[in-house]
Amino acid sequence: MSRPNPEPESSDRSFTFLATACVLVTIEASDEQAARAAYEKINDETFSINVTTRTGHQLDDVSLEDTTPELYRVDGEEPVEQCPRPGCGGHLINGRCTDGDCYAAAHERTFTFALAQVLAAAEHATAATTHTECDEQTEHPAHLCWLKNDGTALASNGHDPDATHTVYADGWGPGTHPALGDDDDPFHAIDLHTPTDDAPALLDTLRTATANGHTEFLLRITHDGTSPTVSTTTR
């Protein structure tokens, strides 16, 4: 009786190549410096992966060996513009600098607030009998304080130990970086009662806009690298 021929042993061998590849590493951090610091802690590490290509080949692991990785995206956006502030190495993403120490990230920025809440804060300041000063004394003691040391907010300066009358700009709540301002003062007073050559007093503007069905208050900040200039509108 003849025996079946044995199956020939495979002549294929396993080859592992050290290949150059583009690896995207996403790190959640407050700013670019913090993200790079976190990256440095994992740089030079080898990570096990289990990936099979469409043609059936195996990718074993990946090693991070780039000490100065290029910034690719922030919040899903490509950093196409470097910050114009002298000496800043950050990039502008939707008007915000990736450098956590950069205050004057853009020369102009507009913040959006809920108009009803801004009016409530303004009415509270007007009705209060005692007030807390912001960075400067306006002609009338009642005003709004633009708070820029922890996010961006507008607050009544009326003294009220039982409640706070503060409204934050959309996307700039507590815990976000100061939005704009190269000065060291985190507060700025916004006059409510003094009309200008071009507009009535801000409080009157807020009341009229609310009566006309407007819902948003826009605070536009321009910065010359030394101090901010504030203008407002509603819609």
Side-chain angles (χ1 to χ4, degrees):
M1 179 180 294
S2 61
R3 296 181 179 179
N5 294 328
E7 291 290 337
E9 293 184 2
S10 173
S11 60
D12 290 341
R13 302 172 66 183
S14 176
F15 296 88
T16 301
F17 294 94
L18 180 62
T20 300
C22 177
V23 179
L24 299 182
V25 180
T26 300
I27 296 175
E28 300 292 334
S30 59
D31 52 53
E32 186 176 348
Q33 297 101 312
R36 289 187 180 275
Y39 175 87
E40 289 178 2
K41 293 180 180 179
I42 62 174
N43 196 35
D44 292 331
E45 290 187 14
T46 298
F47 301 89
S48 297
I49 60 175
N50 184 17
V51 178
T52 302
T53 67
R54 292 179 180 177
T55 54
H57 301 294
Q58 184 75 24
L59 302 183
D60 300 318
D61 55 50
V62 59
S63 177
L64 299 180
E65 298 180 354
D66 191 347
T67 57
T68 56
E70 179 183 356
L71 187 62
Y72 184 69
R73 282 197 179 102
V74 180
D75 299 333
E77 301 287 340
E78 294 186 13
V80 296
E81 181 182 3
Q82 284 195 316
C83 178
R85 183 188 181 195
C88 180
H91 297 78
L92 295 185
I93 306 293
N94 296 325
R96 295 177 63 180
C97 185
T98 58
D99 188 330
D101 294 326
C102 181
Y103 290 83
H107 295 297
E108 180 177 299
R109 186 172 297 147
T110 300
F111 302 99
T112 303
F113 298 82
L115 175 59
Q117 296 180 40
V118 174
L119 177 58
E123 296 285 13
H124 174 267
T126 301
T129 57
T130 59
H131 299 84
T132 301
E133 293 185 11
C134 289
D135 66 326
E136 59 191 56
Q137 184 63 49
T138 58
E139 184 174 330
H140 192 284
H143 50 260
L144 292 177
C145 288
W146 169 35
L147 311 179
K148 48 184 174 168
N149 60 332
D150 184 15
T152 294
L154 296 175
S156 165
N157 77 322
H159 181 65
D160 187 346
D162 298 323
T164 57
H165 298 268
T166 302
V167 52
Y168 284 89
D170 294 347
W172 289 94
T176 57
H177 189 268
L180 193 68
D182 213 18
D183 49 357
D184 296 327
D185 199 329
F187 309 108
H188 187 87
I190 300 177
D191 194 310
L192 288 170
H193 297 275
T194 304
T196 66
D197 295 337
D198 302 324
L202 179 58
L203 179 59
D204 293 334
T205 299
L206 296 174
R207 289 170 174 170
T208 301
T210 300
N212 290 336
H214 293 193
T215 59
E216 294 180 333
F217 176 78
L218 306 181
L219 179 70
R220 181 173 292 107
I221 310 296
T222 56
H223 206 289
D224 61 5
T226 303
S227 61
T229 301
V230 178
S231 60
T232 63
T233 188
T234 63
R235 65 186 181 190

